[in-house]
Amino acid sequence: MLSKLLFIETLGCAMNSRDSEHMIAELHEKEGFVTTEDYKEADLILINTCSVRERPVHKLFSELGGFNKHKKKGAKIGVCGCTASHLGEEIIKKAPYVNFVLGARNVSKISEVLHKDKAVEIDINYDESEFAFKDFRSSPFKGFINISIGCDKSCTFCIVPKTRGDEISIPDSLIIKEAQRLVGAGAKEIFLLGQNVNNYGRRFSGDHEKVNFAELLRRLSKIDTLERIRFTSPHPFHMDDEFIEEFSSNPKVCKSMHMPLQSGSTKVLKDMKRGYSKEWFLNRVGKLKTMCPEATISTDIIVGFPGESDEDFEETIDVMKQVQFDQIFSFKYSPRPQTEAEHFTNVVDDEVASDRLAFLQSLNNEIVDTNHEKLLGNTYRVYFETLHRDGHVAGRSDNNIVIKVNGSEELLGQFRNVKITTIGRTILTGEVIA
Ligand code: SAH
Ligand code: F3S
């Protein structure tokens, strides 16, 4: 029998990428689909959407129009992910040719909704089928594993708790079993995923022994042939001493920390309901830098949050100068439906927000350039994961520096010592020395 073809486009975060893997596996197992890169030949077109900021939502409808115009006759179109969760039926009203809508919390139902035309499945209540670790993996070298779903926080700017529901931790025995399976299949690195990973263990689906995130890291690191553990995203509020100490002392835990600051102003942080102050954030960075000087630190920053004054923005710049982040993901505030901040009236002028974003990004470029200059001539143990067409193979150091070398696929899935020979802003080039 000829396989049916699936085209899937994934927007947004790492959780979405993992959800897409889950749907690909489900559709392969139950419906015989294989993936294609060309939507025009696909029997099923899926968009796994993001709704964290507004722009991707506009993009969704223009893209859907394009898909509908050029799709193969009889092909179905499904909208999945966070925008599916929050817009629901509206999607089918706006784009009546869409066959079904499947929320971020419901991806394990993909093969059911496929057969129900105009189905809208967006329930955010707990559903154990989400815990099934489906077997499709986009990389054989690295295994992404969900450790919790949903988010219990109520950051006033963020739509995620509305689209992904309450936070529930997946029992550690299932996570460990999945990690063992992936390592058995050749992955040397696992990547733990959750909106709030270091809040792991606050609530399980049923009775469960008390296991927090530090303990989960300890248990996972006992898997013999597992070499590296990464995770995202931790929350600064939950960065207690035990967590930072485990991060620093466990040799299998990669030394790169994402610390989403959002704002350096304690007043704005309060309005955002982030649960920490500027001082707490700097205190945690200080502890981390003392215990683990080799760690790189990345962050997320929002500019132009309602009520952000020039002085508040200066506080963010001050934190940037003090911390010298290795990487930042910075965004202009985008009001989102069903969030508290949507109703805040002290809106920041768009031009002011754009200027702040530009200033912050140019400061970050300077910091990154200075940080990178210090790396020239250093040697790192690199785990190679991607082959580029131009004869380069790229990988990451333990502390998440992306380095490429001349080479071929024999390097994939291998560790090598690499000396950095050329520096750039986003990528560094090196030579394999052993
Ligand atoms: N759980 C993650 C956040 C997920 S959203 C965490 O706590 O880090 C990813 C990032 O998008 C956030 O860290 C924030 O910087 C940004 N973001 C979320 N909502 C936003 C909004 N309404 N406008 C602009 N940026 C936003
Ligand atoms: Fe969003 Fe805050 Fe949770 S940013 S995902 S509500 S920790």
Side-chain angles (χ1 to χ4, degrees):
M1 190 184 84
L2 261 177
S3 295
K4 288 176 278 181
L5 296 177
L6 162 69
F7 172 85
I8 183 162
E9 179 182 330
T10 307
L11 307 168
C13 66
M15 263 81 30
N16 260 15
S17 304
R18 179 62 202 133
D19 288 344
S20 288
E21 290 185 343
H22 189 114
M23 290 192 282
I24 293 169
E26 191 82 25
L27 287 168
H28 178 67
E29 228 173 78
K30 299 195 177 142
E31 308 288 337
F33 276 95
V34 295
T35 53
T36 171
E37 303 276 301
D38 178 7
Y39 77 86
K40 290 180 186 152
E41 64 168 16
D43 301 285
L44 173 61
I45 298 173
L46 294 180
I47 312 189
N48 194 4
T49 57
C50 170
S51 59
V52 160
R53 280 166 297 278
E54 200 181 3
R55 196 150 45 133
V57 180
H58 293 317
K59 202 173 142 202
L60 168 69
F61 285 100
S62 65
E63 259 201 310
L64 280 173
F67 284 153
N68 186 46
K69 202 163 157 197
H70 302 292
K71 72 175 186 185
K72 196 167 94 177
K73 199 161 170 275
K76 288 184 178 176
I77 299 180
V79 178
C80 316
C82 284
T83 306
S85 304
H86 97 87
L87 290 183
E89 228 157 292
E90 229 180 280
I91 295 177
I92 295 185
K93 278 196 198 130
K94 260 193 176 162
Y97 47 82
V98 167
N99 295 87
F100 60 86
V101 173
L102 185 66
R105 190 94 171 206
N106 316 92
V107 291
S108 54
K109 300 229 168 74
I110 181 70
S111 53
E112 278 173 47
V113 292
L114 181 64
H115 300 292
K116 293 188 205 155
D117 202 34
K118 308 299 170 207
V120 177
E121 182 72 61
I122 53 171
D123 186 7
I124 57 165
N125 288 321
Y126 166 61
D127 167 6
E128 194 140 335
S129 63
E130 277 286 301
F131 289 6
F133 294 113
K134 289 291 164 179
D135 205 19
F136 175 79
R137 298 284 162 182
S138 43
S139 164
F141 313 116
K142 181 172 183 149
F144 291 91
I145 306 179
N146 287 337
I147 65 164
S148 58
I149 53 179
C151 179
D152 267 358
K153 294 260 180 283
S154 41
C155 302
T156 54
F157 54 81
C158 184
I159 196 174
V160 171
K162 292 286 182 310
T163 61
R164 290 188 175 265
D166 288 348
E167 186 173 314
I168 292 172
S169 299
I170 298 177
D172 70 312
S173 54
L174 294 181
I175 297 168
I176 292 167
K177 213 164 105 197
E178 177 65 359
Q180 280 164 335
R181 201 177 65 74
L182 293 172
V183 169
K188 296 187 177 107
E189 180 174 310
I190 57 168
F191 205 124
L192 308 176
L193 298 176
Q195 294 299 338
N196 211 340
V197 287
N198 51 343
N199 195 33
Y200 178 81
R202 295 294 158 106
R203 188 196 302 125
F204 289 97
S205 54
D207 281 347
H208 193 278
E209 120 194 64
K210 199 128 192 73
V211 178
N212 65 12
F213 188 59
E215 179 60 22
L216 179 68
L217 292 176
R218 276 191 285 276
R219 291 185 182 185
L220 282 167
S221 58
K222 288 197 185 116
I223 300 174
D224 265 352
T225 43
L226 171 62
E227 303 220 26
R228 285 184 171 182
I229 305 173
R230 296 187 192 274
F231 53 82
T232 203
S233 286
H235 193 295
F237 175 79
H238 297 291
M239 294 197 174
D240 56 17
D241 286 354
E242 185 192 1
F243 166 68
I244 295 181
E245 280 157 21
E246 183 60 30
F247 172 87
S248 307
S249 63
N250 186 327
K252 292 194 179 178
V253 174
C254 289
K255 302 302 179 248
S256 79
M257 185 76 93
H258 188 59
M259 293 184 72
L261 169 68
Q262 312 301 359
S263 168
S265 152
T266 298
K267 180 191 147 285
V268 174
L269 287 170
K270 211 166 169 197
D271 293 342
M272 290 177 164
K273 294 206 174 143
R274 289 289 289 175
Y276 54 87
S277 61
K278 176 186 183 187
E279 289 66 35
W280 167 260
F281 188 91
L282 289 173
N283 173 289
R284 296 295 87 189
V285 170
K287 167 111 185 158
L288 179 66
K289 288 195 169 182
T290 310
M291 294 213 58
C292 192
E294 74 273 30
T296 53
I297 305 179
S298 56
T299 197
D300 292 348
I301 293 176
I302 297 177
V303 299
F305 186 75
E308 184 189 64
S309 64
D310 285 342
E311 292 73 29
D312 292 319
F313 180 62
E314 276 304 314
E315 301 274 4
T316 301
I317 295 300
D318 181 47
V319 176
M320 280 186 64
K321 287 183 177 159
Q322 290 197 51
V323 179
Q324 304 272 309
F325 294 108
D326 296 276
Q327 194 179 16
I328 63 168
F329 301 91
S330 49
F331 316 100
K332 225 170 18 170
Y333 168 68
S334 164
R336 306 306 296 126
Q338 301 172 53
T339 60
E340 228 180 288
E342 183 198 10
H343 308 290
F344 292 179
T345 49
N346 42 359
V347 176
V348 172
D349 185 81
D350 190 55
E351 222 172 285
V352 172
S354 297
D355 286 351
R356 286 180 187 163
L357 188 66
F359 183 82
L360 185 140
Q361 288 178 340
S362 77
L363 172 64
N364 176 249
N365 286 342
E366 277 171 37
I367 293 173
V368 169
D369 289 346
T370 317
N371 283 347
H372 280 182
E373 268 163 38
K374 293 185 208 142
L375 305 181
L376 194 64
N378 285 3
T379 299
Y380 293 94
R381 191 160 176 261
V382 173
Y383 183 49
F384 288 102
E385 295 165 61
T386 39
L387 180 66
H388 295 272
R389 287 200 189 97
D390 62 355
H392 283 104
V393 185
R396 285 169 198 271
S397 68
D398 174 288
N399 57 357
N400 212 24
I401 302 169
V402 179
I403 305 172
K404 66 175 191 179
V405 301
N406 275 326
S408 59
E409 54 191 346
E410 287 104 74
L411 279 177
L412 292 174
Q414 302 293 318
F415 285 94
R416 291 284 187 277
N417 289 333
V418 176
K419 185 174 173 175
I420 296 189
T421 51
T422 319
I423 46 169
R425 190 166 285 158
T426 49
I427 205 150
L428 308 171
T429 313
E431 259 166 34
V432 173
I433 56 169

